Amino acid sequence: MSSSSVNLHRATFTTSAPDIRRLPEDYGIEVAFAGRSNAGKSSALNTLTNQKSLARTSKTPGRTQLINVFEIAENKRLIDLPGYGFAKVPLEMKKKWQKALGEYLEKRDCLKGLVVLMDIRHPLKDLDKDLIQWAVDSDLPVLVLLTKCDKLKQGPRSAEVLRVKKILNEHNADIKVQAFSSLKRTGSEQATATICEWFNEDLAPELPEE
């Protein structure tokens, strides 16, 4: 399969689901985006797909309450998972989001890569580390995007990327770390290359027989 067969710019919204039972059938390849509610996840999705409003952005963090599905090719999907950790919402609603996120991560066989977004100024909070540890335990490749890197000058930015890399290298796992800015499009080509690489690997579960 050539790299030209996957183009993130072709992403189209498919559905929003409150839980995994409402998602498309569990075959093909999915790459999921996850992060704290203030990490700029929706903005990153819009930047990587070169679309202004594919994923809804809001000045109020935590508006992604459902599992959102975007198809980029046949049986190849980007998944926008509910944000975690920051949103000022009722506890019961937060628990519901967390359950949907946890179920997806644990039970979705076609998940083949996880993009974890963290504000470069506040990386590696406990929930971020828990998520990365889960991916490592599941032998799942991880791309860490340190978002909003335009907020830092080049020196502190590079130092923070190196610091996070050093910490995550202790996992001895397939974890890539890079700076990213939706505003300046910093790191978008590098991130796109990694995601397309995951899609192009022949890892998809076979289509179930009728």
Side-chain angles (χ1 to χ4, degrees):
M1 189 184 295
S2 67
S3 60
S4 61
S5 62
V6 174
N7 184 346
L8 302 188
H9 296 180
R10 295 177 182 164
T12 56
F13 174 77
T14 302
T15 188
S16 290
D19 53 53
I20 61 173
R21 286 163 287 283
R22 310 284 181 88
L23 290 174
E25 285 192 70
D26 192 1
Y27 62 85
I29 296 176
E30 291 179 351
V31 172
F33 284 65
R36 288 170 60 83
S37 301
N38 55 344
K41 181 161 52 69
S42 296
S43 295
L45 273 164
N46 289 338
T47 297
L48 292 171
T49 58
N50 200 34
Q51 299 185 42
K52 291 183 178 180
S53 56
L54 181 75
R56 292 181 181 179
T57 59
S58 171
K59 292 182 180 179
T60 305
R63 297 301 292 271
T64 304
Q65 303 176 18
L66 302 169
I67 301 172
N68 295 311
V69 181
F70 307 100
E71 187 168 312
I72 60 167
E74 186 176 5
N75 298 328
K76 292 180 171 65
R77 297 172 291 272
L78 297 174
I79 305 295
D80 183 12
L81 293 171
Y84 56 82
F86 179 84
K88 295 179 180 178
V89 297
L91 181 59
E92 286 305 310
M93 184 178 292
K94 190 176 291 189
K95 286 181 178 178
K96 189 175 181 181
W97 298 358
Q98 299 303 101
K99 182 180 179 183
L101 185 148
E103 275 193 332
Y104 175 85
L105 294 173
E106 291 171 11
K107 299 180 180 179
R108 193 72 172 167
D109 290 336
C110 61
L111 174 61
K112 299 304 175 187
L114 184 65
V115 181
V116 180
L117 299 99
M118 297 183 278
D119 188 324
I120 194 169
R121 299 164 298 176
H122 314 286
L124 296 175
K125 299 292 187 182
D126 287 345
L127 289 172
D128 300 322
K129 290 189 283 189
D130 289 347
L131 187 62
I132 291 168
Q133 183 64 59
W134 172 88
V136 170
D137 292 343
S138 301
D139 199 25
L140 198 69
V142 177
L143 172 61
V144 172
L145 296 184
L146 297 177
T147 61
K148 307 181 185 182
C149 73
D150 54 281
K151 304 289 187 182
L152 297 181
K153 292 183 178 179
Q154 184 62 48
R157 178 195 307 177
S158 298
E160 192 63 5
V161 171
L162 287 173
R163 186 182 75 85
V164 173
K165 280 184 177 179
K166 184 176 180 180
I167 292 170
L168 295 180
N169 279 344
E170 295 176 4
H171 287 289
N172 194 27
D174 186 358
I175 303 174
K176 295 181 180 179
V177 180
Q178 65 162 94
F180 186 87
S181 168
S182 296
L183 183 65
K184 304 289 188 180
R185 301 190 67 86
T186 306
S188 61
E189 288 188 13
Q190 186 180 353
T192 296
T194 297
I195 293 166
C196 288
E197 192 177 294
W198 291 344
F199 276 120
N200 286 333
E201 292 178 5
D202 189 18
L203 297 172
E206 293 184 2
L207 180 66
E209 295 182 2
E210 294 293 338

